[in-house]
Amino acid sequence: MSTELLIFIFFSLLLVFSALKVIIVNNSVKAAIFLVLSFFCSAVLWLLMNAEFLSIILILVYVGAVMVLFLFVVMMLDINLSNIKEKFVNYLPLGLFIFLVIALLLILFFDNQFSDVDRNIVTEINILNDNNTMNLGYLLFTEYIIAFEIAGIILLLGIISSITLTQQKNNDNKYQAPHDQINVTKSDRLKIIKDEEFRK
Amino acid sequence: MIPMSYYLILSSILFSIALAGIFINRKNIIILLMSLELMFLSINFNFIIFGNFLSDLTGQIFVFFVLTVVAAESAIGLAIIVVLFRNKKSINVDDIGGLKG
Amino acid sequence: MFLISLLIIFSPLIGSILLLFLQNKSKSKTTFIANFSIAISAVLSFALLIFFLINPDVVNNYKLYTWLSTEQSVFNISIIIDSLSIFMSFIVSTVSLLVHVYSVGYMNKESSYNRFFAYTTFFTFSMLLIIFANNFLQLFIGWELVGLSSYLLIGFWTNKETAIKANLKAFIVNRIGDIGLILGVCLIFAHVGSLDYKDLFLSLPELSQKTISIVGVHVSLISLIAFLLFLGAAAKSAQIPLQFWLPDSMEGPTPISALIHAATMVTAGIYMIARLSPFFEQSLYVLDIILFIGCLTAISMGLVALVQNDIKRIIAYSTISQLGYMMAALGASYYSLAIFHLMTHAFFKALLFLCAGSIILKCNHEQDIDKISGLKNILPITYSAFLLASLSLIGFPLTSGFFSKDMIIEALKYNGNINSYYILSFSIFITTLYTLKILIKVFFGEQKEKASSELEHDNPIIVPIVLLVIPSIFIGLFFIGPIINDQFFTTSLIDTPKTNLFYETIVINPILFSVHSLTSSSFYILILGVLFSYFFYFKKAKFLILISEKLSFTKNILLSEYGFNNLSNIIIPHYFKRFGNFVWNKADKIIIDDVFVNGIGRIINRFSIKIRSLQTGFLYHYAFTMIVSLIIFLLVFYDY
């Protein structure tokens, strides 16, 4: 049994375990921590498949940013956990059933279909060298440049929409209202008062 | 060399767990989102598996974009949850039935 | 010549448009515009006619503009100027002018004086459009336009219920014919690829080879087209079985009856067949059908005229009968004779109608000849004109009617159509009877009113009557030589050799023909008819009246116009109403309304009520649905 297979078995078991934990535990914070663990395991597995850059990205971006965001939200919200715990058992059979059926079908499917895939079916696209990160960067900035730009725009969209969604109007804050400033007219600013007595 | 089907079975188990998670956790929308993350993870797994076994980098490129979109999606989803909690004082899925026909 | 013919055609149109804008402002202006525009046409037509009498062989096709051009074919608006079209335009514009002058007097007290003239000038234009058309497109446009103006003019008195019904009837019956016409034109276009008469004639040898299959029966293409065109001509020229609109159209003002329903429009069908004579000549048995229909119409409608009492209806039936003569002549391929009779008939029948109008006007719109009598001294000019026109109608030797009608009869005999010859000869007897019936009943007998010293009518009424007497009597004598002998129609009709042969063998010259006719049977039939009607209507001989009373059954048949009246007024409308109700109930209400309009809404409504319950609004229900679908998908596409 090679080292590679040992690593694979260990981390895949850990991955399945942590994934199960994510959906079973009551506490959201614990679930988030287990999710981090499963991400970590998958990062190791991805490394096994020569996806170095992506496994690093998974840990840096996902664990470092997205999961922290999750934790923030979970901790920010004052959730009544006792209420949520209720009726958990009611849906367990259904969940189990679905898990079994889907897992069975998918495993059978994948096991059957791709057991004898030739490694070099698809003609390779231009790859510079063995450096995975360099290759990805090369492809991203040549072949997939437009998709890359669009991905940037999608991220920007995510930023703007989450800010606008969560922004609360606070009347204590002092800020400019450009719309009202632009729409101002002469009569709002200047009021002419005729004072007859003053003339005399 | 680890056979391809091992990886594929792993990813399908992961997917099934995530799917079951959606059904088991109908009280907590945050765990639902986490299940979604797991699902995406299993799908990314598939991309990488096939990319690796077909010696094609396009799979990894795709994973890159999926990660981007998922990051944006979870950010927006969490924002929605924050707003939802602010309005309803609850993140129970059963309380969100306003679209009932 | 191009400009002149353009003026002939379009001056009535311009007049009509001007009249439309005038809007009843001033009667004198209306009178001037209407008469002047028609007078231009009439004078120029006359001038051109003289030119053509000298050079009958000129044929000119002028293209005005291209109306439409496609890759396959070009539709031009163009006019044909040859002896036939000029001859017809002379008839139409002259009669039209005289009738217009007459209408000035006749319609004087009418409130919509201007509208009347706008319609009549428009009618003249449409008729000229037919005459000068050198393709079927223009022919069809003109055909529809004369139908339209006829419809408008029959229903001129819009508050007279019978008139409204009559114009509707005329319009609908003409529609039947128009279907035939347009189908024929479409077939021609489909097989020739052009609507020009010239192209049709050029492709005749090719066409005569073709057959067309209708419900499995192979029919010669030319015969089919000819039959369809004849259907159109039969409706317009009031031939059996589409004749019943014409008597009812007498509900219109009398000048209209004279212009449209006696002299011009009803002859459009005759003109069309004559114009297409090379084509009809090839059409095998259709000519026999035309001959048969013509004879049948001539005799049967004459019989119907016998039992009528309305003066205008009698003349209308007489018109149908005379049109039957023309059809018979066409059917026997004597196209020139048909056109010749068309001309003489146009003049004397217009005259008869104008006289009838004069009588009606004098008798306060009384049209029943049993209630009118003894007008001889009251209306001396009308009387003499009516007498002369009647002589022409019954074909008294040396009158124009004699030449045209007797020549048709003689030509049929010469041609070997013996049955037709007998029928038409007998028809002379009937013509004589009903014509003299009017004459005797209206002008002779007990005088109900005192003869006044003042004029019968104003000049506008008298002058056209007097002027029309001239062509009614003499035009036959004048034109018989040029038209029949001098090959006036050589370039436009194809029967010249045949007619010429007939002329040289039988007619020789007008005077000899008159002398010859004294020995022919038709003259004796005529004399017999005169004597019979003298005893029957004037002397009121007992035994004849007894005979006529015995024949009440026949009389009833004739009064009901062989059942055509019932057919058109009761049976067809009844069944059409039932059919319409049936369609309305079954097709419209049940199928369209219930099944399609409401049914679709109902089905969607029911269905949406059902599927609405699927939309629970709960997230996990949707997720569950998705997953179940995924499982099904995997099971279906799973390649184990």
Side-chain angles (χ1 to χ4, degrees):
Chain A
M1 198 180 276
S2 64
T3 339
E4 210 179 334
L5 190 61
L6 275 177
I7 294 171
F8 172 76
I9 289 171
F10 177 72
F11 278 101
S12 54
L13 285 177
L14 195 59
L15 175 59
V16 171
F17 165 75
S18 56
L20 277 174
K21 268 299 192 187
V22 168
I23 62 166
I24 287 171
V25 292
N26 300 322
N27 196 333
S28 306
V29 180
K30 279 183 185 171
I33 299 295
F34 275 113
L35 192 59
V36 169
L37 180 58
S38 54
F39 276 136
F40 185 76
C41 294
S42 16
V44 174
L45 291 173
W46 287 9
L47 266 178
L48 280 182
M49 285 183 288
N50 308 322
E52 298 96 359
F53 177 71
L54 283 176
S55 61
I56 297 299
I57 283 287
L58 193 68
I59 290 174
L60 287 184
V61 174
Y62 251 70
V63 178
V66 178
M67 291 324 295
V68 170
L69 190 67
F70 265 89
L71 280 175
F72 273 153
V73 171
V74 169
M75 287 166 179
M76 255 161 54
L77 304 180
D78 177 26
I79 301 159
N80 189 358
L81 286 173
S82 62
N83 190 17
I84 284 172
K85 181 73 190 89
E86 203 183 9
K87 278 185 179 177
F88 170 75
V89 188
N90 286 359
Y91 296 105
L92 193 61
L94 181 67
L96 214 61
F97 173 73
I98 283 168
F99 168 71
L100 286 176
V101 169
I102 294 286
L104 197 70
L105 282 173
L106 286 175
I107 288 166
L108 280 175
F109 185 68
F110 284 133
D111 200 30
N112 237 2
Q113 297 280 307
F114 301 103
S115 49
D116 52 349
V117 168
D118 189 353
R119 279 191 72 118
N120 292 315
I121 291 176
V122 180
T123 52
E124 293 187 23
I125 52 171
N126 192 11
I127 293 175
L128 296 174
N129 46 32
D130 283 346
N131 192 334
N132 176 260
T133 312
M134 211 180 241
N135 290 341
L136 269 183
Y138 175 75
L139 275 180
L140 270 182
F141 293 110
T142 55
E143 201 100 346
Y144 299 100
I145 180 69
I146 293 175
F148 184 70
E149 302 281 349
I150 292 171
I153 292 171
I154 287 172
L155 280 178
L156 181 67
L157 209 96
I159 295 167
I160 293 170
S161 50
S162 38
I163 290 172
T164 36
L165 274 172
T166 50
Q167 191 189 32
Q168 270 177 311
K169 209 164 215 178
N170 193 343
N171 290 331
D172 296 339
N173 291 349
K174 290 199 165 109
Y175 61 93
Q176 284 193 319
H179 179 257
D180 293 342
Q181 289 172 347
I182 290 166
N183 276 340
V184 103
T185 56
K186 184 177 71 180
S187 55
D188 292 336
R189 292 281 159 83
L190 188 66
K191 206 167 194 177
I192 298 170
I193 302 166
K194 285 182 182 167
D195 196 338
E196 297 296 328
E197 287 192 17
F198 178 74
R199 274 189 188 172
K200 288 169 190 174
Chain B
M1 192 64 219
I2 303 155
M4 185 186 178
S5 51
Y6 283 25
Y7 285 106
L8 286 173
I9 288 165
L10 174 65
S11 84
S12 40
I13 288 172
L14 202 58
F15 185 81
S16 313
I17 289 172
L19 209 61
I22 290 178
F23 280 85
I24 292 168
N25 291 288
R26 51 180 50 182
K27 294 290 165 189
N28 192 339
I29 209 167
I30 291 179
I31 307 247
L32 232 67
L33 267 181
M34 289 180 187
S35 296
L36 274 182
E37 295 292 335
L38 275 179
M39 256 187 208
F40 278 116
L41 188 70
S42 78
I43 285 158
N44 284 343
F45 246 104
N46 267 16
F47 273 122
I48 287 177
I49 292 161
F50 282 111
N52 185 37
F53 279 83
L54 300 175
S55 301
D56 193 342
L57 265 184
T58 321
Q60 295 194 16
I61 298 281
F62 228 99
V63 171
F64 181 84
F65 291 125
V66 171
L67 285 183
T68 321
V69 173
V70 168
E73 173 258 327
S74 51
I76 297 172
L78 286 171
I80 289 172
I81 288 172
V82 169
V83 176
L84 183 78
F85 186 75
R86 206 184 280 155
N87 289 333
K88 291 213 164 185
K89 298 287 172 230
S90 154
I91 52 166
N92 193 336
V93 183
D94 285 342
D95 292 342
I96 319 163
L99 279 177
K100 188 175 162 59
Chain C
M1 195 184 290
F2 175 57
L3 279 178
I4 295 175
S5 51
L6 272 191
L7 260 180
I8 293 176
I9 299 174
F10 287 104
S11 102
L13 179 67
I14 293 165
S16 167
I17 291 169
L18 284 178
L19 287 174
L20 274 182
F21 285 112
L22 208 62
Q23 295 286 351
N24 258 345
K25 292 259 170 56
S26 107
K27 275 191 179 179
S28 58
K29 264 187 203 163
T30 303
T31 312
F32 174 75
I33 291 174
N35 287 306
F36 185 68
S37 60
I38 303 292
I40 291 175
S41 285
V43 169
L44 291 177
S45 298
F46 189 63
L48 277 186
L49 181 69
I50 289 169
F51 172 81
F52 269 95
L53 280 176
I54 299 160
N55 321 301
D57 293 342
V58 181
V59 178
N60 286 316
N61 280 291
Y62 293 110
K63 191 183 121 187
L64 291 187
Y65 65 98
T66 304
W67 181 64
L68 184 74
S69 77
T70 62
E71 273 182 34
Q72 285 89 26
S73 50
V74 178
F75 297 101
N76 286 326
I77 298 294
S78 46
I79 54 177
I80 184 169
I81 303 173
D82 62 359
S83 44
L84 183 60
S85 59
I86 290 299
F87 190 69
M88 281 296 290
S89 92
F90 163 69
I91 300 168
V92 169
S93 55
T94 311
V95 173
S96 180
L97 176 65
L98 293 172
V99 169
H100 271 76
V101 174
Y102 180 84
S103 308
V104 172
Y106 192 84
M107 303 301 286
N108 202 12
K109 298 191 178 76
E110 213 48 59
S111 56
S112 24
Y113 185 76
N114 180 63
R115 184 162 64 95
F116 179 82
F117 281 102
Y119 288 166
T120 50
T121 44
F122 183 69
F123 164 76
T124 312
F125 158 72
S126 326
M127 192 65 204
L128 290 170
L129 199 64
I130 295 182
I131 288 166
F132 283 103
N134 83 341
N135 55 53
F136 284 101
L137 182 73
Q138 254 167 292
L139 175 87
F140 189 73
I141 294 171
W143 199 267
E144 293 301 311
L145 288 184
V146 289
L148 171 71
S149 29
S150 154
Y151 165 80
L152 291 171
L153 283 164
I154 296 171
F156 179 73
W157 287 311
T158 44
N159 45 10
K160 189 173 165 189
E161 202 194 335
T162 49
I164 300 304
K165 282 187 174 167
N167 72 354
L168 205 59
K169 193 172 177 180
F171 206 67
I172 290 167
V173 175
N174 271 304
R175 274 286 80 61
I176 299 171
D178 290 342
I179 289 169
L181 181 70
I182 198 156
L183 283 179
V185 171
C186 290
L187 271 179
I188 288 169
F189 185 69
H191 289 276
V192 180
S194 162
L195 288 179
D196 280 11
Y197 297 154
K198 218 191 288 171
D199 296 334
L200 173 66
F201 298 155
L202 282 177
S203 59
L204 271 180
E206 190 188 325
L207 276 185
S208 58
Q209 306 297 323
K210 287 187 184 172
T211 55
I212 195 165
S213 165
I214 306 170
V215 209
V217 182
H218 286 277
V219 188
S220 149
L221 184 66
I222 289 191
S223 303
L224 180 68
I225 296 173
F227 181 75
L228 289 170
L229 293 180
F230 169 63
L231 194 66
K236 192 74 49 187
S237 294
Q239 297 298 299
I240 285 178
L242 297 173
Q243 89 291 6
F244 47 86
W245 66 272
L246 188 59
D248 284 12
S249 73
M250 296 300 135
E251 295 293 342
T254 310
I256 291 319
S257 308
L259 175 62
I260 299 182
H261 305 115
T264 53
M265 188 189 84
V266 288
T267 61
I270 312 289
Y271 170 76
M272 183 184 76
I273 294 178
R275 170 59 83 192
L276 301 174
S277 54
F279 175 73
F280 274 88
E281 202 58 41
Q282 301 283 325
S283 66
L284 310 174
Y285 43 82
V286 175
L287 277 179
D288 297 334
I289 297 177
I290 296 176
L291 178 64
F292 173 73
I293 295 277
C295 294
L296 189 68
T297 311
I299 181 93
S300 58
M301 289 301 119
L303 283 169
V304 175
L306 275 181
V307 297
Q308 297 291 331
N309 279 327
D310 185 319
I311 181 168
K312 281 179 72 180
R313 283 182 83 90
I314 297 177
I315 306 178
Y317 280 111
S318 148
T319 305
I320 303 176
S321 169
Q322 296 301 313
L323 288 166
Y325 277 93
M326 296 175 210
M327 276 295 171
L330 292 175
S333 306
Y334 286 107
Y335 302 101
S336 327
L337 293 184
I339 294 293
F340 185 45
H341 189 50
L342 189 162
M343 175 187 71
T344 56
H345 171 259
F347 287 116
F348 65 69
K349 194 49 67 68
L351 178 57
L352 276 178
F353 266 114
L354 295 190
C355 292
S358 153
I359 294 162
I360 291 166
L361 208 57
K362 200 70 181 175
C363 299
N364 297 320
H365 292 271
E366 178 57 64
Q367 303 192 3
D368 192 339
I369 53 170
D370 284 341
K371 294 177 184 163
I372 307 170
S373 63
L375 290 178
K376 187 179 161 190
N377 296 325
I378 300 171
L379 297 168
I381 300 173
T382 308
Y383 165 66
S384 41
F386 198 93
L387 179 67
L388 290 171
S390 300
L391 285 180
S392 194
L393 172 61
I394 64 179
F396 197 78
L398 291 175
T399 57
S400 359
F402 159 75
F403 285 116
S404 54
K405 198 161 78 173
D406 269 26
M407 252 166 51
I408 288 175
I409 294 169
E410 288 295 329
L412 283 173
K413 185 186 179 187
Y414 178 75
N415 202 32
N417 304 92
I418 296 300
N419 291 331
S420 315
Y421 167 72
Y422 287 137
I423 291 173
L424 292 185
S425 303
F426 180 65
S427 185
I428 291 181
F429 176 68
I430 299 182
T431 312
T432 318
L433 273 188
Y434 65 69
T435 314
L436 294 181
K437 176 183 170 186
I438 307 177
L439 192 73
I440 292 168
K441 281 197 173 175
V442 170
F443 292 103
F444 295 93
E446 180 194 351
Q447 187 175 333
K448 283 175 182 164
E449 292 172 54
K450 271 190 179 177
S452 49
S453 56
E454 59 187 286
L455 274 171
E456 292 180 43
H457 287 297
D458 297 335
N459 277 339
I461 292 185
I462 292 303
V463 169
I465 290 180
V466 174
L467 282 179
L468 265 177
V469 169
I470 302 163
S472 299
I473 298 299
F474 300 110
I475 203 161
L477 192 60
F478 176 69
F479 269 109
I480 184 166
I483 287 178
I484 311 299
N485 197 25
D486 296 348
Q487 305 174 355
F488 183 65
F489 291 131
T490 317
T491 48
S492 41
L493 300 175
I494 59 149
D495 64 332
T496 314
K498 196 178 173 185
T499 319
N500 228 20
L501 193 66
F502 161 71
Y503 189 88
E504 274 157 17
T505 338
I506 306 285
V507 184
I508 305 162
N509 73 42
I511 308 300
L512 271 177
F513 183 62
S514 314
V515 175
H516 165 78
S517 75
L518 292 178
T519 64
S520 73
S521 55
S522 53
F523 180 72
Y524 295 106
I525 292 170
L526 171 68
I527 299 295
L528 191 69
V530 173
L531 286 174
F532 192 86
S533 42
Y534 175 75
F535 285 116
F536 190 66
Y537 295 114
F538 196 70
K539 290 286 184 193
K540 296 201 170 66
K542 284 262 171 62
F543 70 100
L544 288 172
I545 289 168
L546 267 177
I547 290 170
S548 74
E549 275 164 4
K550 286 268 164 29
L551 292 174
S552 62
F553 175 68
T554 324
K555 193 177 173 183
N556 281 335
I557 291 180
L558 291 180
L559 269 178
S560 67
E561 226 184 286
Y562 311 104
F564 274 116
N565 263 338
N566 284 337
L567 191 70
S568 68
N569 292 344
I570 298 166
I571 297 169
I572 291 180
H574 176 71
Y575 282 104
F576 257 83
K577 205 173 176 183
R578 276 180 60 178
F579 177 69
N581 274 333
F582 175 78
V583 172
W584 172 56
N585 274 325
K586 301 290 174 204
D588 214 57
K589 270 189 165 175
I590 293 181
I591 295 176
I592 294 178
D593 282 5
D594 273 13
V595 175
F596 284 111
V597 179
N598 295 334
I600 289 173
R602 214 163 34 225
I603 287 167
I604 290 175
N605 205 7
R606 274 184 201 158
F607 192 62
S608 59
I609 286 171
K610 291 254 162 63
I611 62 169
R612 196 166 65 191
S613 52
L614 291 178
Q615 304 286 333
T616 54
F618 292 115
L619 207 60
Y620 43 86
H621 285 175
Y622 298 130
F624 187 70
T625 320
M626 281 161 71
I627 284 155
V628 168
S629 324
L630 177 69
I631 291 168
I632 292 169
F633 181 84
L634 279 174
L635 286 174
V636 169
F637 293 96
Y638 196 29
D639 188 17
Y640 290 103

